[in-house]
């Protein structure tokens, strides 16, 4: 096979579907691929027929021109697929298996991987710890918003679904296991959410909604979601969350109206570096969410920070923001003995347990994030609508595998 239809970053505000090379078990030169990686052989890898691949808010940062992503970079790090070819060193994954792909690529051999820190693998990116598919500065691995994709270190990375027929029936929910469900879950776990806790999630995009659903799964007494977008707040209320409209300012006051006190036990930043100040028509202020969460989290509480922060932001509001240097009230967090957890979610720490929760009907994640299926060729429209604030999690369907599939 020679052709492979894929979604590529074109320029700020634009993506296009183009034909790229069919993946092989060797890294080829191309947009975003570091010279050190070219020619890297992946006898330990597999080729997947992509059954579902999702548009992520992290992709949107690149498409907005808020990173140094090169033209032609094939996007997509949320991948679910069927194995159609396996490398000679793969032992435990077979052709025909339907699998979820963690967005963070890990070798399984380095110190960090052996300690379960698969988001910062030391061997899959020549530039820095950690790698991901189709993402700027993350190792040059080709993205999965495509008909076919290559996955390295398959025996270690892939989560195989136990029943092919059931996997296809529940594919719309299972596709969330590659990133946003574990990421949202990691956010609330690292914030200390549990039975009877009160939880505030900043941001009602897909990751924030996944975090809210995760807090409910963990037994939180009250889950509050804050956002500027009325449609996204309505989506949070659709599965039992309380909401705060941050365009009205005064987050603590609104939380006090709900809880009777202005603080919560656990807080999650699902916004990241493109945060805006609170209030109507507020300007961008990238430290807003972090500072707000320190103010409204009780002393001794914790902040989970799955929202993306970057070291290079060409569109930053000032020189500090352009280098990822934010004016954070660390003194406040120190005075309240807060704990902070940042960085990529180590997907493999959670994805099997969350798969079981889906398969046994304990959580309805596709409904929570309003999963919306579109064709691969419709990806430019999906990116545009998502950028305009649509309260949907767009799922691309390159081969029609999602025809007739509904959330469980």
């Amino acid at each position: 096979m020679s052709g492979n239809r894929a979604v590529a970053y074109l320029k700020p505000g634009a993506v296009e579907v183009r034909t790229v090379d069919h993946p092989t078990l060797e890294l080829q030169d191309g947009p975003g691929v570091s010279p050190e990686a070219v020619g890297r052989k992946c006898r330990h890898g597999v080729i997947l027929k992509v059954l579902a691949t999702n548009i992520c808010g992290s992709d949107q940062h690149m498409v907005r021109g808020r990173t140094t992503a090169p033209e032609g970079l094939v996007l997509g790090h949320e991948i679910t697929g069927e194995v159609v070819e396996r490398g000679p060193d793969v032992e435990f994954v077979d052709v025909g298996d339907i699998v979820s792909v963690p967005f963070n690529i890990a070798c399984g051999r380095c110190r960090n991987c052996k300690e379960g820190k698969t988001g910062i693998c030391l061997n899959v990116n020549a530039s820095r710890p950690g790698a991901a598919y189709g993402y700027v500065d993350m190792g040059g691995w080709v993205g999965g918003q495509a008909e076919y994709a290559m996955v390295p270190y398959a025996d270690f990375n892939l989560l195989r679904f136990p029943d092919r027929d059931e996997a296809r029936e529940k594919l719309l929910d299972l596709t969330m296991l590659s990133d946003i469900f574990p990421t949202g879950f990691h956010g609330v776990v690292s914030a200390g959410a549990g039975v009877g806790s009160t939880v505030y999630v900043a941001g009602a995009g897909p990751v924030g909604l996944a975090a809210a659903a995760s807090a409910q799964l963990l037994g939180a007494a009250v889950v509050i979601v804050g956002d500027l977008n009325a449609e996204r707040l309505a989506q949070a209320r659709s599965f039992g969350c309380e909401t705060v409209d941050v365009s009205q300012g005064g987050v603590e006051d609104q939380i006090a109206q709900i809880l009777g006190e202005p603080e919560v036990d656990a807080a999650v930043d699902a916004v990241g570096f493109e945060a805006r100040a609170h209030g109507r028509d507020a300007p961008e202020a990238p430290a807003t969410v972090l500072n707000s969460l320190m103010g409204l989290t009780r002393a001794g509480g914790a902040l989970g920070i799955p929202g993306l922060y970057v070291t290079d932001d060409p569109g930053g509001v000032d020189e500090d923001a352009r280098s990822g240097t934010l004016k954070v009230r660390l003194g406040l967090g120190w005075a309240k003995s807060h704990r902070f957890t940042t960085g990529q979610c180590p997907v493999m720490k959670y994805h099997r347990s969350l798969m079981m929760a889906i398969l046994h009907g304990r959580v309805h994640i596709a409904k929570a994030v309003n999963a919306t299926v579109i064709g691969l060729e419709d990806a430019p429209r999906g990116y545009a609508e998502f950028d305009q604030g649509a309260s949907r999690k767009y799922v691309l369907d390159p081969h029609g595998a999602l025809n007739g599939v509904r959330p469980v």
Side-chain angles (χ1 to χ4, degrees):
M1 290 183 276
S2 56
N4 181 26
R5 300 290 286 165
V7 182
Y9 171 67
L10 189 60
K11 60 182 180 180
V15 300
E16 69 175 10
V17 180
R18 58 173 60 168
T19 299
V20 299
D21 291 338
H22 196 276
T24 67
L25 297 174
E26 180 178 321
L27 279 180
Q28 307 295 322
D29 196 9
V33 181
S34 61
E36 299 94 332
V38 175
R40 183 172 182 164
K41 297 187 185 302
C42 298
R43 294 168 55 88
H44 42 68
V46 299
I47 306 299
L48 295 184
K49 177 182 179 180
V50 177
L51 301 181
T53 177
N54 317 326
I55 296 175
C56 181
S58 299
D59 298 321
Q60 199 68 265
H61 291 307
M62 288 188 290
V63 174
R64 290 189 185 120
R66 298 299 294 267
T67 71
T68 56
E71 179 186 345
L73 180 73
V74 174
L75 300 167
H77 53 270
E78 301 188 15
I79 309 165
T80 307
E82 178 180 358
V83 178
V84 294
E85 179 185 345
R86 70 177 196 169
D89 291 347
V90 176
E91 294 185 73
F92 306 114
V93 177
D94 293 323
V95 170
D97 285 345
I98 298 178
V99 296
S100 177
V101 183
F103 78 88
N104 32 37
I105 303 165
C107 72
R109 296 156 167 81
C110 71
R111 173 182 176 177
N112 284 349
C113 283
K114 289 178 179 179
E115 293 178 355
K117 302 170 184 174
T118 53
I120 43 174
C121 174
L122 301 173
N123 289 330
V124 288
N125 186 349
S127 301
R128 64 185 188 189
Y133 303 90
Y135 211 86
V136 59
D137 297 330
M138 295 301 284
W141 301 91
V142 178
Q145 286 176 13
E147 294 174 311
Y148 296 90
M150 191 274 281
V151 175
Y153 302 103
D155 283 328
F156 184 66
N157 282 294
L158 294 179
L159 174 67
R160 185 174 64 85
F161 299 131
D163 183 280
R164 279 177 49 87
D165 293 336
E166 185 179 29
R168 284 187 170 273
E169 289 172 5
K170 299 182 176 180
L171 187 59
L172 195 56
D173 288 81
L174 294 172
T175 190
M176 305 305 163
L177 293 171
S178 57
D179 182 355
I180 66 162
F181 192 13
T183 293
F185 192 83
H186 179 61
V188 293
V189 166
S190 57
V195 174
S197 60
T198 56
V199 181
Y200 177 71
V201 179
V207 169
L209 295 171
S214 297
Q216 293 175 336
L217 183 64
L218 288 166
V222 182
V223 181
I224 306 169
V225 180
D227 204 286
L228 295 156
N229 184 313
E231 183 183 352
R232 290 181 170 184
L233 291 175
Q235 180 62 26
R237 289 191 295 272
S238 75
F239 59 98
C241 298
E242 300 286 347
T243 57
V244 164
D245 183 351
V246 300
S247 71
Q248 303 301 313
V251 175
E252 289 91 343
D253 292 341
Q254 293 183 67
I255 288 176
Q257 290 175 17
I258 296 167
L259 298 178
E261 58 183 355
E263 292 185 324
V264 296
D265 298 319
V268 177
D269 174 1
V271 178
F273 73 103
E274 288 193 65
R276 294 187 174 277
H278 295 162
R280 191 173 301 280
D281 300 320
E284 188 170 307
T288 296
V289 172
L290 294 173
N291 289 327
S292 172
L293 295 190
M294 284 187 281
L296 58 84
T297 302
R298 68 175 179 85
L303 279 64
I305 310 173
L308 177 67
Y309 288 87
V310 295
T311 55
D312 293 290
D313 174 12
V317 294
D318 54 33
E319 186 174 350
D320 282 343
R322 285 190 284 275
S323 63
T325 304
L326 308 184
K327 296 177 180 178
V328 176
R329 293 188 65 195
L330 187 59
L332 176 60
W334 189 94
K336 296 176 79 172
S337 294
H338 284 158
R339 303 182 308 279
F340 301 80
T341 302
T342 67
Q344 290 186 45
C345 164
V347 170
M348 277 187 273
K349 184 175 181 178
Y350 308 107
H351 66 174
R352 185 187 180 278
S353 297
L354 296 178
M355 174 189 73
M356 296 298 288
I358 291 170
L359 294 179
H360 291 278
R362 300 296 298 167
V363 66
H364 306 284
I365 191 64
K367 286 183 179 177
V369 301
N370 196 18
T372 302
V373 179
I374 60 176
L376 186 70
E377 298 292 334
D378 293 326
R381 173 175 63 84
Y383 270 98
E385 292 179 359
F386 189 34
D387 190 52
Q388 292 163 9
S391 183
R392 297 173 183 174
K393 175 65 174 177
Y394 285 101
V395 180
L396 306 181
D397 184 11
H399 294 280
L402 287 163
N403 289 343
V405 176
R406 298 290 180 266
V408 296

